[in-house]
Amino acid sequence: MASTRPNQLFRNKSAKIAAIPMIVTALFVFVGGTIWTVVYSFTKSGLLPRLKWVGLDQYERLWATRKWLVSIENLAIYGLCMLVLVFVIGFILAALIDQKIRFEDTIRTVILYPYALSFVVTGLVWQWILNPDFGVQNVVRGWGWESFTFDPLYNADIAIYGVLIAGLWQGSGLVMVLMLAGLRGIDQDVWKASRVDGIPAWKAYIFIIIPMMRPVFVTTLVIVVTGIVKIYDLIVAQTGGGPGIATEVPAKYVYDMMFQANNLGQGFAASTMMLVTVALIVIPWAILEFGGSKRHD
Amino acid sequence: MKNSVEIKNLDLQFGAVKVLQNLNLEIGKGEFLVLLGSSGCGKSTLLNCIAGLLDVSGGQIHINDRNVTWAEPSERGIGMVFQSYALYPQMTVEGNLSFGLKNAKLPKSEIETRIKHASEVLQIEPLLKRKPAALSGGQRQRVAIGRALVRDVDVFLFDEPLSNLDAKLRADLRVEIKRLHHKLQNTMIYVTHDQIEAMTLADRIAIMRGGQIMQLGSPDEIYGRPVNKYVADFIGSPSMNFLDGQVKNGAFQVGDLTIPLDGYDFADSSGSAEGPATIGIRPEHVVTGELVENTPFQIEVEINLIEPTGSDTLVDCEVAGHHFRVRMDGQSKVSVGEKLRLGLAPSKASLFDAKTELRL
Ligand SMILES: Nc1ncnc2c1ncn2[C@@H]1O[C@H](COP(=O)(O)OP(=O)(O)O)[C@@H](O)[C@H]1O
Ligand SMILES: [Mg+2]
């Protein structure tokens, strides 16, 4: 009699077998690696990992280091500005292109192109553009404005904004295409209805269209935020963390500690702090988003 | 009757494609006009021009004696309902109804009164706090109608509002739209490709084809006196039977049959015509049984096929080498291969010129 219910574990067998390598990788590499890192952040590891417990020493040292504090501050400034500006610029560009303009393909390609470049190339390009001797400052002075000064990468107070410009130049294109895809997915009849209702275009965007694009915004947010937290190569290529320690960021601090200062324990502690920060942001959001997922349509 | 909407020499083209050409239409106050035509014939385009959602290439549009050719949609005194409902999904039903009014800076009390009135008329009061995702298709379309209703306008535009609904709901909401029109007595312009909707709702139907209006008239006129073969074929289900032949000496000759045309109302004032023509006879205008004796023309045919539909039975046969369908009562006892006597009255037939396909 086939009336007994088949064991749930053996349903979709082939799919489950196919997923095993990925599950194993995820468990061992991501989860295992993470736990290992957290554990060793409580040790006095130097050049090599050693299980010599020092309690919270590494963390106390971390939070007493000026370079780390500057890194955190830079990440906050860069992250906040990047997040706001990349969304504003990306969305406005997408909204402009969505007006069925001519040469749309060309413009889209030109704006998306920077995203295809490596951060290292972007960093170098903008290092030149912002260099007072070759770049913008030089060009404007060549036009006759002799006192013009624009050298963000050489001024410790604003150097991080020089990096921000490069980051925006590279990131806006991606946000734009994602937003454009979202805008193109909007039923044209909704636009027509809003026009019959007499809603001005900007109001229609804010109160009708953007709320309808929520899924696109969430996806874009995840991509942009992960890009911000792990920013490293742009800094290395563009400023090397300088002038002084003016453009240091947490990921670079971790790398420097682990592979240049031969201080693994300190590097692990810094990475753990980054993980905790991300978790503090992601977990409440995930609970909000997926916790009551049954109510979504 | 004063005209509510007047369309004068309207042209519309997308790039090089001319979709509407020199179109004229006058719609009376309180009239229910249906634009009927197959898909792609320009019905939505015409409606969007009236709404102001498309810029016309030439001609004028007047609504309530005001030239609105270049006015914004919201300033034309129209409300519009779309096939896809086009509700604002992140707002509640109440938000959907009130958003446009709030934006127009109407006083709060006025907005409340209008929403109350509209939701009573459409019976959507219990739904006011819900979002569109939590509504059925029929409820969503009611809300969309409500959004047009609260605008308190004289002209309603509908673009295939029932096409996304299943057959039962479509029939229900159709009746409701008709009732709404009786109650409000405002002008309604209704686009559809469904002839049943058109016949049941319209005061007048405009049959469109290729961006032009083929015939404009009451459902009776369109059904009984189609101006050309296209309209005759388009209206009526099952469609009209056509026999190709000749009009000669006041009779229609097809093969070796001669159908007398006494009592046929010729379009030409001379009351006659000659030459190659097509006669169109609706399946429901052919009589069978005892009634045959009273008709001027009778013929015996062999039954080829029977399609029972419950209320009616459709019988397929052959007349003078042409495929011919007859509608009989659903209770009729007939079977394939049997002989059947048919009778027809020329006064109910339609004659079309073989070349121009225009009504004779
Ligand atoms: N935005 C547009 N650009 C170019 N051609 C269009 C556009 N909209 C409609 N058309 C064309 O105009 C014709 C009429 O379209 P439409 O009014 O939507 O037809 P209907 O509503 O009667 O099905 C169609 O042939 C269609 O291809
Ligand atoms: Mg259409």
Side-chain angles (χ1 to χ4, degrees), chain A residues 242-279:
Chain A
I245 55 167
T247 55
E248 290 290 344
V249 285
K252 183 163 177 295
Y253 183 90
V254 171
Y255 181 88
D256 288 351
M257 279 303 157
M258 298 214 283
F259 302 109
Q260 290 184 343
N262 293 336
N263 193 344
L264 283 182
Q266 185 62 186
F268 293 152
S271 345
T272 306
M273 283 321 303
M274 286 175 71
L275 177 71
V276 170
T277 317
V278 171

mmCIF file of all heavy atoms in Angstrom, chain A residues 242-279:
data_model
loop_
_atom_site.group_PDB
_atom_site.id
_atom_site.type_symbol
_atom_site.label_atom_id
_atom_site.label_comp_id
_atom_site.label_asym_id
_atom_site.label_seq_id
_atom_site.Cartn_x
_atom_site.Cartn_y
_atom_site.Cartn_z
ATOM 1 N N GLY A 242 46.509 57.461 2.622
ATOM 2 C CA GLY A 242 47.049 58.768 2.992
ATOM 3 C C GLY A 242 46.191 59.917 2.522
ATOM 4 O O GLY A 242 45.115 59.683 1.997
ATOM 5 N N PRO A 243 46.585 61.154 2.650
ATOM 6 C CA PRO A 243 47.849 61.529 3.319
ATOM 7 C C PRO A 243 47.839 61.178 4.810
ATOM 8 O O PRO A 243 46.814 61.372 5.454
ATOM 9 C CB PRO A 243 47.903 63.050 3.124
ATOM 10 C CG PRO A 243 46.498 63.464 2.818
ATOM 11 C CD PRO A 243 45.831 62.306 2.178
ATOM 12 N N GLY A 244 48.965 60.676 5.305
ATOM 13 C CA GLY A 244 49.024 60.191 6.676
ATOM 14 C C GLY A 244 48.106 58.996 6.820
ATOM 15 O O GLY A 244 48.213 58.028 6.068
ATOM 16 N N ILE A 245 47.163 59.076 7.758
ATOM 17 C CA ILE A 245 46.176 58.006 7.885
ATOM 18 C C ILE A 245 44.787 58.550 7.562
ATOM 19 O O ILE A 245 43.770 58.005 7.965
ATOM 20 C CB ILE A 245 46.182 57.402 9.308
ATOM 21 C CG1 ILE A 245 45.964 58.500 10.348
ATOM 22 C CG2 ILE A 245 47.466 56.638 9.550
ATOM 23 C CD1 ILE A 245 45.651 57.936 11.727
ATOM 24 N N ALA A 246 44.740 59.630 6.735
ATOM 25 C CA ALA A 246 43.484 60.358 6.527
ATOM 26 C C ALA A 246 42.417 59.540 5.816
ATOM 27 O O ALA A 246 41.232 59.804 5.979
ATOM 28 C CB ALA A 246 43.738 61.642 5.746
ATOM 29 N N THR A 247 42.803 58.572 4.997
ATOM 30 C CA THR A 247 41.774 57.813 4.275
ATOM 31 C C THR A 247 41.818 56.326 4.608
ATOM 32 O O THR A 247 41.457 55.491 3.790
ATOM 33 C CB THR A 247 41.912 57.998 2.752
ATOM 34 O OG1 THR A 247 43.237 57.638 2.374
ATOM 35 C CG2 THR A 247 41.625 59.428 2.339
ATOM 36 N N GLU A 248 42.289 56.007 5.812
ATOM 37 C CA GLU A 248 42.273 54.603 6.233
ATOM 38 C C GLU A 248 40.831 54.107 6.374
ATOM 39 O O GLU A 248 39.938 54.875 6.719
ATOM 40 C CB GLU A 248 42.987 54.453 7.579
ATOM 41 C CG GLU A 248 44.483 54.661 7.527
ATOM 42 C CD GLU A 248 45.217 53.545 6.800
ATOM 43 O OE1 GLU A 248 44.615 52.471 6.596
ATOM 44 O OE2 GLU A 248 46.387 53.761 6.402
ATOM 45 N N VAL A 249 40.612 52.799 6.068
ATOM 46 C CA VAL A 249 39.278 52.206 6.265
ATOM 47 C C VAL A 249 39.440 50.868 6.976
ATOM 48 O O VAL A 249 40.531 50.279 6.934
ATOM 49 C CB VAL A 249 38.553 51.988 4.918
ATOM 50 C CG1 VAL A 249 38.038 53.302 4.352
ATOM 51 C CG2 VAL A 249 39.425 51.251 3.943
ATOM 52 N N PRO A 250 38.401 50.351 7.626
ATOM 53 C CA PRO A 250 38.528 49.130 8.422
ATOM 54 C C PRO A 250 39.113 47.944 7.658
ATOM 55 O O PRO A 250 39.986 47.251 8.163
ATOM 56 C CB PRO A 250 37.089 48.854 8.862
ATOM 57 C CG PRO A 250 36.466 50.200 8.919
ATOM 58 C CD PRO A 250 37.085 50.973 7.801
ATOM 59 N N ALA A 251 38.657 47.697 6.419
ATOM 60 C CA ALA A 251 39.152 46.531 5.694
ATOM 61 C C ALA A 251 40.659 46.637 5.487
ATOM 62 O O ALA A 251 41.373 45.634 5.540
ATOM 63 C CB ALA A 251 38.438 46.402 4.349
ATOM 64 N N LYS A 252 41.140 47.870 5.266
ATOM 65 C CA LYS A 252 42.573 48.043 5.052
ATOM 66 C C LYS A 252 43.319 47.836 6.368
ATOM 67 O O LYS A 252 44.415 47.268 6.386
ATOM 68 C CB LYS A 252 42.850 49.443 4.496
ATOM 69 C CG LYS A 252 44.307 49.686 4.174
ATOM 70 C CD LYS A 252 44.488 50.877 3.267
ATOM 71 C CE LYS A 252 45.967 51.149 3.016
ATOM 72 N NZ LYS A 252 46.707 51.538 4.212
ATOM 73 N N TYR A 253 42.707 48.270 7.473
ATOM 74 C CA TYR A 253 43.309 48.070 8.789
ATOM 75 C C TYR A 253 43.517 46.579 9.035
ATOM 76 O O TYR A 253 44.578 46.142 9.451
ATOM 77 C CB TYR A 253 42.395 48.674 9.859
ATOM 78 C CG TYR A 253 42.940 48.588 11.262
ATOM 79 C CD1 TYR A 253 43.740 49.602 11.779
ATOM 80 C CD2 TYR A 253 42.649 47.493 12.077
ATOM 81 C CE1 TYR A 253 44.251 49.531 13.058
ATOM 82 C CE2 TYR A 253 43.152 47.402 13.360
ATOM 83 C CZ TYR A 253 43.948 48.430 13.850
ATOM 84 O OH TYR A 253 44.453 48.348 15.115
ATOM 85 N N VAL A 254 42.477 45.782 8.722
ATOM 86 C CA VAL A 254 42.558 44.332 8.918
ATOM 87 C C VAL A 254 43.708 43.768 8.092
ATOM 88 O O VAL A 254 44.557 43.023 8.585
ATOM 89 C CB VAL A 254 41.229 43.657 8.510
ATOM 90 C CG1 VAL A 254 41.364 42.142 8.492
ATOM 91 C CG2 VAL A 254 40.108 44.091 9.438
ATOM 92 N N TYR A 255 43.748 44.157 6.814
ATOM 93 C CA TYR A 255 44.776 43.628 5.926
ATOM 94 C C TYR A 255 46.173 44.015 6.425
ATOM 95 O O TYR A 255 47.066 43.177 6.516
ATOM 96 C CB TYR A 255 44.554 44.167 4.511
ATOM 97 C CG TYR A 255 45.561 43.646 3.519
ATOM 98 C CD1 TYR A 255 45.340 42.441 2.844
ATOM 99 C CD2 TYR A 255 46.733 44.354 3.262
ATOM 100 C CE1 TYR A 255 46.272 41.960 1.944
ATOM 101 C CE2 TYR A 255 47.676 43.873 2.363
ATOM 102 C CZ TYR A 255 47.442 42.675 1.700
ATOM 103 O OH TYR A 255 48.363 42.191 0.820
ATOM 104 N N ASP A 256 46.323 45.287 6.786
ATOM 105 C CA ASP A 256 47.628 45.763 7.251
ATOM 106 C C ASP A 256 48.079 44.998 8.483
ATOM 107 O O ASP A 256 49.233 44.584 8.587
ATOM 108 C CB ASP A 256 47.553 47.264 7.579
ATOM 109 C CG ASP A 256 47.456 48.109 6.314
ATOM 110 O OD1 ASP A 256 47.626 47.521 5.216
ATOM 111 O OD2 ASP A 256 47.198 49.326 6.416
ATOM 112 N N MET A 257 47.169 44.793 9.436
ATOM 113 C CA MET A 257 47.519 44.097 10.673
ATOM 114 C C MET A 257 47.931 42.662 10.398
ATOM 115 O O MET A 257 48.914 42.168 10.923
ATOM 116 C CB MET A 257 46.326 44.115 11.638
ATOM 117 C CG MET A 257 46.199 45.410 12.403
ATOM 118 S SD MET A 257 47.714 45.717 13.310
ATOM 119 C CE MET A 257 47.611 47.480 13.522
ATOM 120 N N MET A 258 47.154 41.982 9.568
ATOM 121 C CA MET A 258 47.389 40.554 9.374
ATOM 122 C C MET A 258 48.626 40.283 8.527
ATOM 123 O O MET A 258 49.381 39.373 8.803
ATOM 124 C CB MET A 258 46.168 39.905 8.729
ATOM 125 C CG MET A 258 44.936 40.008 9.602
ATOM 126 S SD MET A 258 43.834 38.619 9.478
ATOM 127 C CE MET A 258 43.018 38.886 7.986
ATOM 128 N N PHE A 259 48.816 41.089 7.472
ATOM 129 C CA PHE A 259 49.858 40.712 6.522
ATOM 130 C C PHE A 259 51.066 41.634 6.521
ATOM 131 O O PHE A 259 52.051 41.363 5.867
ATOM 132 C CB PHE A 259 49.262 40.599 5.117
ATOM 133 C CG PHE A 259 48.142 39.605 5.069
ATOM 134 C CD1 PHE A 259 46.827 40.010 4.918
ATOM 135 C CD2 PHE A 259 48.417 38.242 5.224
ATOM 136 C CE1 PHE A 259 45.800 39.093 4.906
ATOM 137 C CE2 PHE A 259 47.382 37.326 5.209
ATOM 138 C CZ PHE A 259 46.067 37.746 5.053
ATOM 139 N N GLN A 260 50.989 42.787 7.232
ATOM 140 C CA GLN A 260 52.164 43.642 7.262
ATOM 141 C C GLN A 260 52.699 43.826 8.656
ATOM 142 O O GLN A 260 53.901 43.791 8.857
ATOM 143 C CB GLN A 260 51.816 44.990 6.624
ATOM 144 C CG GLN A 260 51.644 44.697 5.197
ATOM 145 C CD GLN A 260 51.395 45.768 4.230
ATOM 146 O OE1 GLN A 260 51.027 46.888 4.556
ATOM 147 N NE2 GLN A 260 51.600 45.372 3.015
ATOM 148 N N ALA A 261 51.816 43.970 9.622
ATOM 149 C CA ALA A 261 52.292 44.153 10.989
ATOM 150 C C ALA A 261 52.466 42.812 11.691
ATOM 151 O O ALA A 261 52.850 42.782 12.855
ATOM 152 C CB ALA A 261 51.315 45.028 11.766
ATOM 153 N N ASN A 262 52.207 41.694 10.992
ATOM 154 C CA ASN A 262 52.317 40.363 11.598
ATOM 155 C C ASN A 262 51.604 40.273 12.929
ATOM 156 O O ASN A 262 52.123 39.741 13.897
ATOM 157 C CB ASN A 262 53.794 39.977 11.784
ATOM 158 C CG ASN A 262 54.453 39.781 10.448
ATOM 159 O OD1 ASN A 262 53.772 39.493 9.453
ATOM 160 N ND2 ASN A 262 55.767 39.947 10.415
ATOM 161 N N ASN A 263 50.411 40.846 12.972
ATOM 162 C CA ASN A 263 49.659 40.849 14.210
ATOM 163 C C ASN A 263 48.278 40.267 13.932
ATOM 164 O O ASN A 263 47.291 40.980 13.828
ATOM 165 C CB ASN A 263 49.561 42.288 14.735
ATOM 166 C CG ASN A 263 49.075 42.319 16.169
ATOM 167 O OD1 ASN A 263 48.535 41.322 16.656
ATOM 168 N ND2 ASN A 263 49.257 43.455 16.824
ATOM 169 N N LEU A 264 48.237 38.932 13.762
ATOM 170 C CA LEU A 264 46.984 38.272 13.370
ATOM 171 C C LEU A 264 45.863 38.541 14.362
ATOM 172 O O LEU A 264 44.739 38.847 13.990
ATOM 173 C CB LEU A 264 47.195 36.768 13.243
ATOM 174 C CG LEU A 264 47.907 36.300 11.968
ATOM 175 C CD1 LEU A 264 48.010 34.790 11.963
ATOM 176 C CD2 LEU A 264 47.172 36.782 10.729
ATOM 177 N N GLY A 265 46.186 38.455 15.662
ATOM 178 C CA GLY A 265 45.168 38.638 16.698
ATOM 179 C C GLY A 265 44.451 39.969 16.546
ATOM 180 O O GLY A 265 43.226 40.046 16.589
ATOM 181 N N GLN A 266 45.217 41.027 16.302
ATOM 182 C CA GLN A 266 44.645 42.360 16.139
ATOM 183 C C GLN A 266 43.758 42.414 14.883
ATOM 184 O O GLN A 266 42.671 42.967 14.906
ATOM 185 C CB GLN A 266 45.808 43.364 16.039
ATOM 186 C CG GLN A 266 45.424 44.799 15.986
ATOM 187 C CD GLN A 266 44.679 45.316 17.213
ATOM 188 O OE1 GLN A 266 44.244 46.435 17.212
ATOM 189 N NE2 GLN A 266 44.531 44.528 18.259
ATOM 190 N N GLY A 267 44.253 41.781 13.798
ATOM 191 C CA GLY A 267 43.471 41.717 12.556
ATOM 192 C C GLY A 267 42.158 40.986 12.775
ATOM 193 O O GLY A 267 41.095 41.443 12.332
ATOM 194 N N PHE A 268 42.227 39.855 13.501
ATOM 195 C CA PHE A 268 41.000 39.079 13.768
ATOM 196 C C PHE A 268 40.021 39.900 14.592
ATOM 197 O O PHE A 268 38.809 39.882 14.348
ATOM 198 C CB PHE A 268 41.335 37.785 14.518
ATOM 199 C CG PHE A 268 42.119 36.808 13.689
ATOM 200 C CD1 PHE A 268 42.994 35.900 14.281
ATOM 201 C CD2 PHE A 268 41.982 36.794 12.299
ATOM 202 C CE1 PHE A 268 43.714 35.000 13.509
ATOM 203 C CE2 PHE A 268 42.707 35.898 11.530
ATOM 204 C CZ PHE A 268 43.577 35.000 12.140
ATOM 205 N N ALA A 269 40.530 40.626 15.568
ATOM 206 C CA ALA A 269 39.648 41.443 16.416
ATOM 207 C C ALA A 269 38.947 42.501 15.567
ATOM 208 O O ALA A 269 37.731 42.723 15.695
ATOM 209 C CB ALA A 269 40.446 42.099 17.529
ATOM 210 N N ALA A 270 39.714 43.141 14.658
ATOM 211 C CA ALA A 270 39.114 44.168 13.800
ATOM 212 C C ALA A 270 38.059 43.549 12.892
ATOM 213 O O ALA A 270 36.969 44.103 12.719
ATOM 214 C CB ALA A 270 40.191 44.853 12.974
ATOM 215 N N SER A 271 38.370 42.357 12.302
ATOM 216 C CA SER A 271 37.363 41.729 11.429
ATOM 217 C C SER A 271 36.122 41.376 12.215
ATOM 218 O O SER A 271 34.995 41.528 11.724
ATOM 219 C CB SER A 271 37.867 40.448 10.760
ATOM 220 O OG SER A 271 39.221 40.324 10.853
ATOM 221 N N THR A 272 36.336 40.887 13.450
ATOM 222 C CA THR A 272 35.173 40.532 14.258
ATOM 223 C C THR A 272 34.302 41.760 14.515
ATOM 224 O O THR A 272 33.072 41.685 14.445
ATOM 225 C CB THR A 272 35.619 39.904 15.591
ATOM 226 O OG1 THR A 272 36.491 38.818 15.290
ATOM 227 C CG2 THR A 272 34.430 39.393 16.383
ATOM 228 N N MET A 273 34.938 42.894 14.763
ATOM 229 C CA MET A 273 34.163 44.119 14.969
ATOM 230 C C MET A 273 33.343 44.464 13.720
ATOM 231 O O MET A 273 32.183 44.861 13.808
ATOM 232 C CB MET A 273 35.092 45.306 15.285
ATOM 233 C CG MET A 273 35.645 45.373 16.694
ATOM 234 S SD MET A 273 34.504 44.913 17.999
ATOM 235 C CE MET A 273 33.161 46.049 17.717
ATOM 236 N N MET A 274 33.973 44.295 12.536
ATOM 237 C CA MET A 274 33.245 44.568 11.294
ATOM 238 C C MET A 274 32.045 43.640 11.159
ATOM 239 O O MET A 274 30.949 44.054 10.782
ATOM 240 C CB MET A 274 34.171 44.394 10.077
ATOM 241 C CG MET A 274 35.164 45.538 9.928
ATOM 242 S SD MET A 274 36.329 45.253 8.576
ATOM 243 C CE MET A 274 35.280 45.453 7.160
ATOM 244 N N LEU A 275 32.286 42.355 11.501
ATOM 245 C CA LEU A 275 31.202 41.371 11.408
ATOM 246 C C LEU A 275 30.050 41.755 12.332
ATOM 247 O O LEU A 275 28.879 41.721 11.938
ATOM 248 C CB LEU A 275 31.734 39.982 11.777
ATOM 249 C CG LEU A 275 30.675 38.883 11.779
ATOM 250 C CD1 LEU A 275 30.257 38.566 10.357
ATOM 251 C CD2 LEU A 275 31.178 37.635 12.483
ATOM 252 N N VAL A 276 30.414 42.141 13.577
ATOM 253 C CA VAL A 276 29.379 42.498 14.550
ATOM 254 C C VAL A 276 28.554 43.681 14.037
ATOM 255 O O VAL A 276 27.323 43.681 14.103
ATOM 256 C CB VAL A 276 30.022 42.833 15.916
ATOM 257 C CG1 VAL A 276 28.992 43.447 16.856
ATOM 258 C CG2 VAL A 276 30.604 41.570 16.536
ATOM 259 N N THR A 277 29.248 44.671 13.492
ATOM 260 C CA THR A 277 28.540 45.859 12.986
ATOM 261 C C THR A 277 27.551 45.473 11.888
ATOM 262 O O THR A 277 26.381 45.878 11.909
ATOM 263 C CB THR A 277 29.550 46.870 12.411
ATOM 264 O OG1 THR A 277 30.652 46.946 13.294
ATOM 265 C CG2 THR A 277 28.917 48.228 12.233
ATOM 266 N N VAL A 278 28.047 44.672 10.927
ATOM 267 C CA VAL A 278 27.176 44.264 9.825
ATOM 268 C C VAL A 278 25.986 43.478 10.372
ATOM 269 O O VAL A 278 24.837 43.694 9.982
ATOM 270 C CB VAL A 278 27.959 43.440 8.787
ATOM 271 C CG1 VAL A 278 27.010 42.836 7.764
ATOM 272 C CG2 VAL A 278 29.000 44.300 8.112
ATOM 273 N N ALA A 279 26.283 42.578 11.325
ATOM 274 C CA ALA A 279 25.214 41.753 11.886
ATOM 275 C C ALA A 279 24.174 42.626 12.584
ATOM 276 O O ALA A 279 22.969 42.381 12.471
ATOM 277 C CB ALA A 279 25.791 40.734 12.858
#
